[in-house]
Amino acid sequence: MSFKQFSLEAEQAVLCCLLFNPSSWAFISIKLSEQFFFVKQHKIIYKVIKSLKKDGKEVDLIMVFESLKEHNYLECINVVLYLSSLVQYSVNLLNINIYVNIVYEKYLLRCLQLVGEYISDLVLRKNKETLFDLLIESEKKLLSLSAS
C-alpha cells in the first residue's frame, strides 16, 4: 500500500508565512524542520530559509532566490516559477499555528505509515525471531516515532 499523507496547501502556507512575515521563523522553526515537508521544493526552500536565518540574513523572495542560485538548487527544481506562484497565495498569519500543526501531523502520519510497513515486513519475513522478539522490535519502532 503506497499513499502519502501531506497537505500541499498547508506546506505552501507555512512557506508563505516565512517569506512574507520573517518574524514567524521563531515560532515555525521550533516545531518544524525540512524533513517535515513532503514536497521536495518545499524542503529545499525551507532549508534555504533556515540557512539565511542562521547566517543572520533577511528572508524575502529575492534573498531566497539568490541563495537557491548560490547553492545550485535551481538546476534540480524550477524555483523561479514556483517561488513566483507562492506570491499569489494569501495566508492568514493568525492561522500559522494551524498550518504548522497540519504539516506536523501529516509528517507523523507518513512516519506511522513507514513504521507499519516495517512491522509488516518483519512479520512477513519472520526468520528465527520469536513472536516476543517481533513485538519488542515493533514496540521499539513505535517508541522511536513517539520520541520525534
Side-chain angles (χ1 to χ4, degrees):
M1 179 184 347
S2 181
F3 65 93
K4 294 296 178 188
Q5 291 280 337
F6 75 102
S7 170
L8 178 67
E9 296 78 12
E11 289 188 12
Q12 289 171 331
V14 168
L15 293 176
C16 285
C17 288
L18 289 170
L19 287 170
F20 304 114
N21 184 11
S23 64
S24 63
W25 174 255
F27 171 74
I28 293 172
S29 65
I30 291 170
K31 298 202 99 177
L32 301 178
S33 66
E34 60 265 16
Q35 73 190 27
F36 287 78
F37 291 88
F38 178 77
V39 178
K40 183 179 180 180
Q41 291 99 325
H42 297 169
K43 289 180 182 196
I44 292 170
I45 293 167
Y46 187 90
K47 185 176 180 179
V48 165
I49 291 171
K50 180 179 171 182
S51 176
L52 287 169
K53 293 302 273 183
K54 182 180 173 193
D55 293 343
K57 296 180 181 174
E58 291 297 318
V59 173
D60 63 26
L61 206 55
I62 303 301
M63 292 298 291
V64 170
F65 176 72
E66 289 300 319
S67 186
L68 287 163
K69 280 196 315 191
E70 183 180 309
H71 293 94
N72 295 320
Y73 285 127
L74 292 179
E75 294 173 7
C76 62
I77 57 175
N78 193 350
V79 170
V80 180
L81 292 175
Y82 195 78
L83 278 174
S84 299
S85 74
L86 287 179
V87 174
Q88 64 186 309
Y89 293 99
S90 65
V91 295
N92 185 343
L93 293 175
L94 298 174
N95 291 332
I96 190 169
N97 191 43
I98 294 169
Y99 306 143
V100 167
N101 284 337
I102 291 170
V103 172
Y104 181 76
E105 287 173 9
K106 296 295 184 180
Y107 167 75
L108 288 179
L109 286 170
R110 291 192 306 273
C111 289
L112 191 57
Q113 180 184 0
L114 289 173
V115 169
E117 290 171 1
Y118 176 81
I119 292 170
S120 179
D121 287 345
L122 270 180
V123 170
L124 291 174
R125 64 177 173 79
K126 181 181 179 245
N127 294 328
K128 295 180 182 175
E129 297 97 348
T130 66
L131 180 58
F132 183 74
D133 291 335
L134 291 174
L135 287 171
I136 294 294
E137 185 63 28
S138 299
E139 184 179 39
K140 283 181 190 175
K141 278 294 186 185
L142 284 170
L143 288 174
S144 72
L145 176 62
S146 67
S148 67

